[in-house]
Amino acid sequence: MIVVTGATGNVGRALVRILTEDRVEVKSVARNIGGPGTVVGDLAEPDGLRGVFEGAEALFLLVAGERPYDVLDVAKAAGVRKVVLVSSQGAGTRPSIYAQPRQFEAAVRESGLDWTILRPGGLASNAFAWAESIRAERSAAAPFGDVGLPFVDPDDVAAVAAAVLREDTHAGATYTLTGPAPTTPRARAAAIAAALGEPVTFTEQSRAEAYELMSRFMPLPLVEGTLAILGAPTEEERRVSPDVERVLGRAPGMFASWAERNAAAFR
C-alpha cells in the first residue's frame, strides 16, 4: 500500500488517480476530508499519523508542518520502507530562502529509508489564482509579464511520483521537474484565452502590487523568494530539465495542454 499525503491537492489528486487506475492500493490522506476514501492526517501532528501509516510500504510526502524527523520516525515504525518527497526547485537554487523544504530534504536523506526527492519548478496550476478574475471579467494580472519560466504540469509531477513509488531504480535520486519550454505570464494568459475561445486581458502588476497581494497568504521570506524567481530567475531556474522525460520516457506536457484540460475552471 502507498500512503499519499496532500491527496486533495493538485499533485496529490492526480497521483491518487494514476495509482488507482493502475490498481495500486492507495490510502489518501489530507488535513481535511476532501472526498470518499480520504482519511484525516495532519503532518503538523506526527503522533496522530501512527494509524494512518500502518500497513503502508511507501509514502508520498509533502513539505508541511515543522517536524519532518518525527513524521519519518512514525512512518518507519509503521513499516514504511520508501519515501518520495515533493520539495521545490528553490530548495536547490535558493536554499537560504527555502529553508523548510531543505529541512525536509535533510530529514528524508537521514531517515534510513529508500528515498527520492522531487523538486518541481513553478506549477501550471498556479494559474488557478486567475480563475476568479477570468471568470468574472476575462482578465488576468501578474508581475514580470514577459519573464519566461518552464512551468510544469502537476499531472507530470504526479506521473513521475507514481513511477518512482512503484519502481526500485530511483533510490537516492533528486529530480528537478519542469515543463518542456519557458512560458511567460502573458503567454499563459493567452493560452487560457485560447482554451476558452474568448479574449483574456493581461495586466502586468508592479512588484509592489504583487508583493502586497502575495503577502496576504504567504510568509514574507517566501514572498521575497518567489518574486526573485519570477522576476530575476537564475540560469538554472530558466533551464528545461530532462528529468521528467528521463523517468517517464516522454516529454513533459505543454502549458497549453494543461489550460485545455482545465478550461472549465475559468469559464
Side-chain angles (χ1 to χ4, degrees):
M1 181 178 69
I2 295 174
V3 169
V4 176
T5 61
T8 57
N10 291 306
V11 173
R13 186 184 305 113
L15 176 57
V16 170
R17 184 188 72 245
I18 292 168
L19 293 173
T20 301
E21 289 174 353
D22 289 345
R23 301 183 184 279
V24 176
E25 185 180 1
V26 180
K27 182 180 286 187
S28 303
V29 181
R31 282 193 304 172
N32 301 300
I33 291 293
T38 303
V39 301
V40 174
D42 190 345
L43 293 172
E45 300 292 341
D47 290 343
L49 297 171
R50 298 183 188 282
V52 172
F53 292 159
E54 284 295 334
E57 297 180 352
L59 168 65
F60 176 76
L61 181 62
L62 293 184
V63 172
E66 302 291 341
R67 299 167 58 188
Y69 289 91
D70 292 338
V71 170
L72 291 164
D73 283 346
V74 171
K76 284 194 295 183
V80 170
R81 298 183 295 106
K82 175 190 289 190
V83 58
V84 175
L85 174 71
V86 60
S87 179
S88 168
Q89 185 181 29
T93 60
R94 300 176 190 261
S96 63
I97 295 172
Y98 287 81
Q100 187 186 24
R102 292 284 294 188
Q103 181 189 31
F104 271 72
E105 290 188 7
V108 162
R109 291 190 177 102
E110 297 166 15
S111 67
L113 300 170
D114 288 342
W115 59 264
T116 306
I117 293 170
L118 309 182
R119 289 177 170 175
L123 294 177
S125 52
N126 291 353
F128 283 138
W130 290 337
E132 184 176 348
S133 65
I134 291 178
R135 285 196 303 265
E137 53 193 35
R138 292 294 187 258
S139 69
F144 316 115
D146 298 306
V147 177
L149 288 166
F151 276 30
V152 62
D153 190 326
D155 280 22
D156 285 337
V157 178
V160 170
V164 170
L165 285 161
R166 291 175 297 182
E167 298 168 2
D168 294 327
T169 56
H170 306 281
T174 298
Y175 294 128
T176 299
L177 308 181
T178 72
T183 61
T184 67
R186 196 182 307 276
R188 291 193 288 275
I192 294 171
L196 292 172
E198 298 182 30
V200 171
T201 301
F202 178 80
T203 301
E204 183 166 350
Q205 296 171 322
S206 69
R207 188 187 189 283
E209 289 171 332
Y211 183 96
E212 194 278 328
L213 288 172
M214 293 168 67
S215 64
R216 297 177 187 177
F217 59 90
M218 292 172 63
L220 294 185
L222 192 55
V223 173
E224 291 286 358
T226 300
L227 287 172
I229 292 172
L230 294 177
T234 66
E235 181 178 347
E236 185 177 354
E237 288 160 350
R238 291 178 183 269
R239 185 182 301 124
V240 172
S241 169
D243 288 347
V244 170
E245 187 163 6
R246 178 178 290 136
V247 175
L248 299 180
R250 62 163 177 82
M254 301 287 290
F255 181 85
S257 298
W258 178 89
E260 290 171 2
R261 292 200 321 272
N262 292 279
F266 300 93
R267 293 198 187 283

